[in-house]
């Protein structure tokens, strides 16, 4: 494809390929073993019902979370939440000696739910099968955290309680502190990435200068 359609030197795919080629065999193995499953687990579900329930919650909170964070920041937070909640689940299972699959989809959904409930604690929520029974978002978040804490402490296996807690705590932390600490200070990282992409603009595959 490069012969048919030459790529720019700063092309993202080539940057990733160069970085991957610079790793040792051991580093590549560790990167694949640790990172890939945690990222891909963000899109994994135990069953069709599990997926349907998660997608319903995500759909219900999508308008609120995107209005709070914006599209780009939401995607970054969602993927990060999947990795973090899966990692928390790994740690909990290793500590308790329970070797079961860890899926980050529910943890990422919990991050969305917790973020919205933290920023909008007085918002009214309802259960789909009991629409007449309403409660505040703040109360719902407290109940969910209490339930998952009890489940983790008592060894319940109904849900991945560790992943839920990891996702919820990450969501609460991010909307309280993370947005200011990470997203608003991303400019140096973006600038460094831009400089890396545009380095040596006059060489290779039709690079352009700014």
């Amino acid at each position: 494809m490069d012969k048919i359609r030459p790529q720019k030197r700063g092309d993202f795919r080539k940057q990733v390929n160069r970085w991957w080629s610079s790793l040792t065999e051991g580093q590549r193995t560790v990167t694949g073993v640790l990172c890939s499953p945690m990222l891909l687990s963000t899109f994994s579900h135990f069953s069709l019902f599990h997926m349907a329930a998660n997608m319903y919650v995500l759909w219900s909170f999508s308008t609120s979370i995107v209005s709070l964070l914006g599209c780009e920041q939401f995607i970054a937070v969602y993927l990060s939440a999947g990795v973090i909640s899966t990692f928390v689940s790994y740690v909990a299972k290793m500590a308790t000696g329970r070797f079961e699959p860890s899926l980050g989809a529910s943890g990422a959904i919990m991050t969305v739910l917790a973020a919205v409930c933290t920023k909008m604690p007085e918002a009214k929520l309802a259960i789909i099968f009991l629409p007449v029974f309403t409660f505040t978002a703040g109360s719902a978040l407290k109940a969910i955290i209490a339930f998952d804490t009890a489940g983790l402490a008592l060894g319940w296996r109904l849900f991945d309680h560790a992943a839920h807690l990891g996702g919820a705590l990450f969501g609460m932390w991010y909307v309280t502190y993370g947005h200011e600490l990470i997203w608003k200070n991303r400019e140096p990282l973006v600038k460094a990435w831009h400089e890396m992409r545009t380095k040596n603009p006059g060489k290779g595959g039709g690079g352009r200068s700014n």
Side-chain angles (χ1 to χ4, degrees), residues 15-98:
Q15 296 287 354
V16 173
N17 287 339
R18 279 197 288 270
W19 169 77
W20 182 257
S21 298
S22 68
L23 299 179
T24 65
E25 184 175 356
Q27 290 172 332
R28 294 179 190 176
T29 302
V30 171
T31 300
V33 169
L34 293 182
C35 298
S36 299
M38 288 193 291
L39 179 61
L40 295 176
S41 71
T42 307
F43 309 99
S44 302
H45 304 269
F46 283 111
S47 64
L48 185 61
F49 174 79
H50 182 225
M51 182 180 70
N54 280 340
M55 292 303 99
Y56 173 77
V57 175
L58 181 60
W59 178 266
S60 299
F61 285 87
S62 60
T63 301
S64 298
I65 192 66
V66 172
S67 67
L68 286 173
L69 303 180
C71 293
E72 295 83 1
Q73 188 175 188
F74 161 68
I75 293 173
V77 170
Y78 187 82
L79 295 178
S80 300
V83 173
I84 290 171
S85 60
T86 302
F87 180 74
V88 172
S89 178
Y90 282 169
V91 173
K93 285 181 170 60
M94 289 293 292
T96 58
R98 292 168 51 192

Side-chain angles (χ1 to χ4, degrees), residues 146-189:
F147 174 77
D148 283 318
T149 301
L152 182 62
L154 298 176
W156 297 346
R157 301 195 177 191
L158 184 59
F159 303 107
D160 191 339
H161 299 287
H164 286 188
L165 281 175
L169 294 176
F170 175 65
M172 295 167 62
W173 174 85
Y174 189 85
V175 295
T176 305
Y177 305 106
H179 174 72
E180 297 289 335
L181 294 175
I182 299 175
W183 194 256
K184 288 190 175 181
N185 293 318
R186 73 190 186 281
E187 184 177 348
L189 179 62

